[in-house]
Amino acid sequence: MNKRIIPPILIAVVLIASVAALFISKSYSQKQQQEKIDSATEYSTTQIETTVSDGERTLLGEIKEGDYQLYYYPETEKVELVHGDLVKEFNWGWSVKIHIPEMAYYDVDDDGEKELLMRVAAANKTDDAINATRHAVFNLFVVEEVETDGKKDLAFFMAGSSTWQEPFKEKIKVEITQLKSSKKFIQVAMNNADVGISYDDKGMTNNEYTYYAGAYRDNKNNFYTLDTWNFNDGIYTFDEERGKMVLDISVIVQYKEEEFREYIGNINCDITFSNGKFHLTPNTITFIPLDTKIVIDPREGASENWSITLANTSPVPKSDSSDINWIENQFKVSLYNGTTSIAFADLNSKIKCVDTVQISESGVVMTAKDGYTFSQRVIDSGTFTITIEGDDGSSRQIDNTCEISTDKNGKSVLTMTFDTTYDKETLQTLRIKFGV
């Protein structure tokens, strides 16, 4: 707790009380959650220049409904909270320069009356795992008007910038692992601290509250290996639409390769307030990956095995090179069943040199025509992808591994596996790229 920001007034400093039972829900889309998280985790030094001046003081913000005004005095670097005839002074000048305090007005304790909420910068940090930007961490205040012996006053209740950590870690178990079956997936499993989390031989858990993020992939399409992880900052925010206080806990992973650290997402939960204490709210605790880290849940695989085969009826093409080093084509998977004969001669790229393309729930297998071989240089350079192209314009990369082999007839075979298994209707249009 930073003593510089504690005013000589009635103030109760409390920890966030842990919940007795943990239930995790996804009541909001990941897009909505991520917009909120991004806005809450990145801040630069604030310039106080867009406010309204009133004599020697500057109005930082106000809640007209509750008759609260927050003023800043540039000369003394003091901050005043005014509520009717009540005035409280804070030594928050240094904090205001980091980030202008934010105010909200919600009924956070369900007593039928709204309380003033303030989010005040507690420190300014730089972390290379969070986009190498300086960002603020905050103290959260609930302010209530109280009356003692006929005298009115303001009571301040504070959740410090880091006081969520001990109760959260004491009551909530978090385990972050990487699947053995596919290094693409970082697995985040959460439950009550007294609940065991088990894993199968693929490193996958059937724990009810489990989420996934994508591991770091280098420019050669190799996924890094998870080494350790940790919580970074917990950022308090306000959800104006719902009238809620929110805690976003950033999750950082470190890989064995080059000891590289990466920010993959946030553990997100609502905060409630009652009897002078802050609480993590049941039914709201979840993990939200960054937009760039969203992957499919690998446990939601295909319901059955299936496959289609596209057989190239075109003759062996004439070419100066026997190397298949460029394939870039898309196929509408839903149009085909069983084996379908297609002339590849009119298609772009060296797909003309492929004899068959087999697409199944687990990947794509291409067999070259006689005299042609798939290029190992393409695999070594990592220039291969498989994406699902949605009818709505969306695109999702689903390739996992790529390798070349030779079948019993001496033909070159390229096998591109998916990151998990997919039902046929899920693939929609499949775009395959191999080389450039």
Side-chain angles (χ1 to χ4, degrees):
M1 183 169 58
N2 195 322
K3 293 185 177 180
R4 289 180 294 174
I5 67 169
I6 299 179
I9 57 177
L10 178 60
I11 182 168
V13 181
V14 298
L15 298 181
I16 295 180
S18 299
V19 294
L22 171 64
F23 303 94
I24 303 175
S25 66
K26 297 181 180 179
S27 55
Y28 304 94
S29 71
Q30 291 185 332
K31 178 68 173 176
Q32 290 172 317
Q33 292 278 17
Q34 194 53 51
E35 287 174 351
K36 179 173 61 182
I37 291 170
D38 286 344
S39 66
T41 54
E42 298 178 15
Y43 291 104
S44 301
T45 301
T46 301
Q47 298 296 321
I48 308 169
E49 58 186 8
T50 60
T51 54
V52 179
S53 294
D54 181 11
E56 62 178 6
R57 63 187 184 181
T58 298
L59 179 65
L60 298 178
E62 65 177 331
I63 301 294
K64 293 183 178 180
E65 181 182 356
D67 189 25
Y68 286 98
Q69 300 84 37
L70 194 66
Y71 293 99
Y72 172 66
Y73 289 79
E75 185 174 340
T76 62
E77 295 193 342
K78 302 286 186 181
V79 173
E80 278 187 352
L81 177 65
V82 178
H83 176 61
D85 295 332
L86 299 175
V87 179
K88 299 297 179 181
E89 185 179 276
F90 304 83
N91 294 319
W92 283 352
W94 64 275
S95 175
V96 169
K97 293 178 181 178
I98 296 174
H99 186 79
I100 294 177
E102 297 177 25
M103 306 169 72
Y105 199 52
Y106 309 142
D107 180 8
V108 294
D109 55 6
D110 294 324
D111 64 353
E113 297 182 3
K114 294 182 179 181
E115 290 77 36
L116 173 66
L117 312 179
M118 292 195 301
R119 193 172 83 124
V120 181
N124 202 15
K125 295 184 176 182
T126 301
D127 196 314
D128 60 356
I130 305 184
N131 303 325
T133 58
R134 291 183 68 79
H135 63 282
V137 292
F138 297 88
N139 293 329
L140 179 65
F141 292 87
V142 171
V143 183
E144 293 183 327
E145 184 179 308
V146 296
E147 187 172 335
T148 304
D149 297 329
K151 183 179 180 180
K152 292 183 177 181
D153 203 348
L154 294 177
F156 290 71
F157 302 88
M158 185 183 79
S161 61
S162 61
T163 52
W164 58 269
Q165 293 188 21
E166 184 176 344
F168 184 93
K169 294 176 181 179
E170 178 184 350
K171 293 296 183 180
I172 299 175
K173 177 180 292 184
V174 180
E175 295 183 1
I176 299 179
T177 56
Q178 189 171 32
L179 295 191
K180 298 176 182 177
S181 56
S182 174
K183 292 173 65 176
K184 178 175 183 175
F185 295 97
I186 300 295
Q187 182 173 242
V188 181
M190 293 190 288
N191 217 311
N192 294 324
D194 59 352
V195 176
I197 299 176
S198 60
Y199 302 86
D200 62 19
D201 57 358
K202 296 180 180 180
M204 193 174 295
T205 179
N206 61 358
N207 176 70
E208 184 176 0
Y209 311 121
T210 302
Y211 308 83
Y212 292 90
Y216 179 77
R217 175 184 280 191
D218 66 17
N219 57 10
K220 292 187 177 181
N221 258 345
N222 298 312
F223 292 104
Y224 277 20
T225 305
L226 177 67
D227 187 10
T228 61
W229 65 273
N230 65 281
F231 296 130
N232 203 4
D233 297 317
I235 306 294
Y236 302 116
T237 62
F238 302 139
D239 187 327
E240 295 183 2
E241 182 177 346
R242 297 185 300 129
K244 299 291 184 180
M245 299 179 290
V246 178
L247 172 65
D248 292 321
I249 306 169
S250 54
V251 177
I252 307 297
V253 297
Q254 180 168 310
Y255 300 100
K256 292 182 179 179
E257 292 82 354
E258 305 173 6
E259 295 186 352
F260 175 66
R261 297 172 67 242
E262 185 179 34
Y263 170 40
I264 62 170
N266 291 64
I267 293 175
N268 174 277
C269 61
D270 288 353
I271 302 172
T272 54
F273 178 82
S274 63
N275 300 320
K277 294 183 179 181
F278 296 83
H279 308 267
L280 303 181
T281 310
N283 296 315
T284 67
I285 304 173
T286 186
F287 172 78
I288 307 296
L290 297 179
D291 277 349
T292 56
K293 291 296 177 180
I294 294 175
V295 292
I296 193 172
D297 187 331
R299 299 171 299 177
E300 300 173 358
S303 57
E304 60 182 3
N305 296 336
W306 62 272
S307 69
I308 60 173
T309 300
L310 308 179
N312 183 7
T313 59
S314 300
V316 178
K318 295 181 179 180
S319 175
D320 295 335
S321 172
S322 63
D323 216 21
I324 302 177
N325 56 9
W326 173 50
I327 293 174
E328 186 170 351
N329 299 90
Q330 63 182 35
F331 300 97
K332 188 80 171 179
V333 177
S334 60
L335 296 180
Y336 307 105
N337 292 294
T339 299
T340 303
S341 296
I342 301 178
F344 286 1
D346 295 331
L347 299 180
N348 293 324
S349 81
K350 284 193 171 182
I351 194 74
K352 303 179 182 69
C353 307
V354 172
D355 199 28
T356 60
V357 177
Q358 183 185 52
I359 304 173
S360 70
E361 77 283 349
S362 58
V364 175
V365 178
M366 290 185 277
T367 302
K369 284 184 174 294
D370 289 329
Y372 288 90
T373 57
F374 293 99
S375 173
Q376 183 64 43
R377 291 192 301 275
V378 172
I379 294 180
D380 293 341
S381 66
T383 52
F384 57 86
T385 60
I386 299 179
T387 56
I388 298 174
E389 306 293 329
D391 295 335
D392 59 356
S394 62
S395 178
R396 184 169 80 236
Q397 187 172 338
I398 62 169
D399 57 274
N400 184 35
T401 61
C402 187
E403 61 182 6
I404 297 170
S405 60
T406 303
D407 69 9
K408 61 182 180 181
N409 298 315
K411 291 185 176 183
S412 180
V413 177
L414 178 69
T415 302
M416 304 177 75
T417 61
F418 298 151
D419 49 18
T420 186
T421 58
Y422 291 87
D423 285 322
K424 184 179 177 182
E425 56 268 23
T426 302
L427 293 184
Q428 302 180 54
T429 297
L430 205 62
R431 178 178 290 276
I432 303 170
K433 289 185 179 182
F434 181 77
V436 294

